[in-house]
Amino acid sequence: MLRARHSSRTTLPRAVLFTVALCLAGTGPTASLVLAQTARPDRVNWVNPRGMITTDTGTITKNSLDKVVIDLGRNEKSIDSKKVRSVAFGAVPPSFNEGVAYFDRRSFENAAKAFQVAAGDGSAREFVKARARLSAAEAYLLHGATDPAAFALARAELETFIEDHKDNRELPSARRLLGRAQRLAGEAAAAAATYDALYREASTGTEGYPLKTCLYGGLGAAEAYIAAGNPNKARDLYLDLESAATSGLADLDERSPDRRDFVLLLNEARLGEGFCLLARASISQARTFFNGRLSGANGNAPLRHGARLGLAEALLAEGKVREAQIEFAQVSAIDHTDRDRVARALVGLAQCSLKLSDKGAHASAKRSLETVRDRYGDTPSVLRAQELLQTL
């Protein structure tokens, strides 16, 4: 469920840059920050040896799996790609800027088409064309909230990116996003395989694959295995992920900006057993499990929200609709750590409303589902929201 806590805006002028919310979560959406600058120079934001974010300005000459190279004018600097947080390209085709403008206006279909033009512009640098291709996929994913056929278009863009840009720094992110696109297209088994393959890169030490990205792949795989009806495989992954996240967290410096992601990954892994129990219809055991996690959460807000969501789903499965409604409502109103979880809670809240005879229950359910469609259209819960909206 952890994904694109992934962010929605920046404080800089909208004409200068835009931010795409993912998983990329996460995702994922950790958040996937995509910057599009309308004028030179290029910028690279990276984590220096002291654990601080540093920005270098110049002209990027390489954006590959092993390193980013930027010409600073007086000299070149080579930065380990795993330390790079984001890049901003200065020289981009006009169609790229059109895509930025459309995206900023939430005209996602037009944004995707403009980015596709930029991806085929022969005058653009190769890594700019790659970023345009990835941006087209991200825009199609968000357009899928109102046009489910767009999820397949996003998948096609990502497959093209992976085929054409095998050494690009954003290849691991593109593979993770492909898993999400497959999941949103209703292809849970294919998504599980895509995510799982990304997760396995952690054990091979493939150059340019940050451990954090690989672990998010593992989380996506576990969730997709549950959706595909294979909770036993998911349980094995959650156990493995818990061990990997614990080890990865122990290796991080206290000042590392990645600590938050590893803590969140560890929380999700610790909750996995409960969701596997739900998938196996072991409802009372799941309720006991989530109650235990809830009582032990203390000041750990993400763990508490995740346990509350699991408890709500267990209560709903037991027919304790009013109790479930209260738990779903708390998650949807309070949780600001995970967009996927909020969307899932909103769908659960709508399901409770439809089962109760409260005055205005039908309208309340519709509002919750429309919120998922309009604000969380790039989360797996949009599929169920779309199904339920068709019945109202």
Side-chain angles (χ1 to χ4, degrees):
M1 288 164 291
L2 183 64
R3 213 65 65 252
R5 300 168 303 284
H6 324 243
S7 60
S8 59
R9 286 283 177 195
T10 70
T11 57
L12 296 180
R14 295 191 305 176
V16 177
L17 57 85
F18 72 96
T19 301
V20 179
L22 285 182
C23 119
L24 44 326
T27 164
T30 71
S32 174
L33 189 62
V34 182
L35 306 180
Q37 192 176 357
T38 59
R40 285 188 182 275
D42 298 330
R43 295 198 310 272
V44 180
N45 296 318
W46 59 286
V47 182
N48 67 26
R50 299 187 304 278
M52 307 293 289
I53 301 294
T54 296
T55 300
D56 280 309
T57 302
T59 301
I60 295 171
T61 59
K62 187 174 184 179
N63 188 40
S64 65
L65 279 170
D66 62 335
K67 61 186 175 182
V68 172
V69 178
I70 181 166
D71 185 346
L72 302 175
R74 60 190 181 279
N75 64 290
E76 278 193 340
K77 177 179 283 189
S78 180
I79 305 167
D80 183 343
S81 68
K82 290 182 181 179
K83 298 183 182 299
V84 175
R85 309 297 288 189
S86 64
V87 299
F89 297 122
V92 297
S95 52
F96 195 111
N97 289 326
E98 290 173 11
V100 172
Y102 278 126
F103 192 97
D104 194 63
R105 296 199 295 268
R106 299 185 64 82
S107 180
F108 298 123
E109 183 177 22
N110 286 328
K113 291 178 179 178
F115 284 130
Q116 285 176 309
V117 173
D121 191 317
S123 68
R125 291 171 289 178
E126 195 63 26
F127 43 76
V128 172
K129 290 192 287 185
R131 170 24 67 189
R133 183 73 65 190
L134 198 54
S135 295
E138 291 165 336
Y140 272 132
L141 280 179
L142 289 166
H143 181 54
T146 52
D147 180 8
F151 294 136
L153 296 175
R155 181 190 61 209
E157 292 299 310
L158 291 162
E159 289 171 344
T160 299
F161 179 101
I162 292 167
E163 178 63 28
D164 292 352
H165 305 287
K166 291 182 171 63
D167 190 45
N168 189 274
R169 180 182 60 86
E170 296 189 274
L171 179 63
S173 296
R175 290 177 60 182
R176 181 182 168 195
L177 201 59
L178 175 59
R180 193 161 183 84
Q182 291 168 324
R183 179 85 188 276
L184 290 168
E187 302 167 359
T194 296
Y195 278 130
D196 207 339
L198 175 59
Y199 180 51
R200 303 304 163 187
E201 299 287 4
S203 61
T204 62
T206 305
E207 188 171 52
Y209 281 75
L211 177 61
K212 179 178 70 175
T213 301
C214 295
L215 297 191
Y216 273 117
L219 179 61
E223 294 172 355
Y225 277 125
I226 289 178
N230 193 345
N232 292 332
K233 180 68 173 177
R235 183 178 184 275
D236 292 341
L237 256 177
Y238 279 125
L239 291 172
D240 195 44
L241 183 60
E242 182 174 0
S243 175
T246 300
S247 177
L249 184 61
D251 290 340
L252 288 178
D253 185 275
E254 287 293 330
R255 298 167 297 178
S256 172
D258 286 334
R259 288 190 67 84
R260 179 175 180 272
D261 281 294
F262 277 85
V263 169
L264 291 171
L265 281 160
L266 182 56
N267 285 338
E268 294 298 319
R270 292 177 60 199
L271 291 167
E273 171 69 18
F275 290 104
C276 291
L277 288 169
L278 281 175
R280 291 198 294 265
S282 300
I283 308 303
S284 62
Q285 290 177 266
R287 176 166 45 79
T288 299
F289 175 91
F290 286 121
N291 270 321
R293 285 286 187 256
L294 190 58
S295 64
N298 298 320
N300 189 333
L303 183 63
R304 183 172 66 252
H305 297 318
R308 200 176 292 283
L309 175 66
L311 177 60
E313 293 187 349
L315 290 168
L316 181 59
E318 289 181 318
K320 299 176 181 178
V321 182
R322 186 69 68 187
E323 294 177 56
Q325 183 185 44
I326 294 170
E327 302 296 339
F328 280 128
Q330 289 196 59
V331 176
S332 63
I334 299 173
D335 186 5
H336 301 292
T337 63
D338 188 344
R339 297 178 70 254
D340 282 12
R341 185 157 53 227
V342 171
R344 187 163 169 171
L346 284 166
V347 170
L349 191 60
Q351 290 174 310
C352 289
S353 295
L354 293 173
K355 289 179 178 292
L356 296 168
S357 56
D358 298 347
K359 182 179 179 180
H362 187 277
S364 177
K366 187 175 182 181
R367 282 195 301 273
S368 294
L369 296 171
E370 288 176 339
T371 298
V372 174
R373 182 195 64 197
D374 298 340
R375 295 177 55 189
Y376 301 94
D378 58 340
T379 71
S381 295
V382 75
L383 302 177
R384 181 60 176 151
Q386 289 165 337
E387 290 176 1
L388 290 172
L389 280 169
Q390 291 176 0
T391 68
L392 299 179

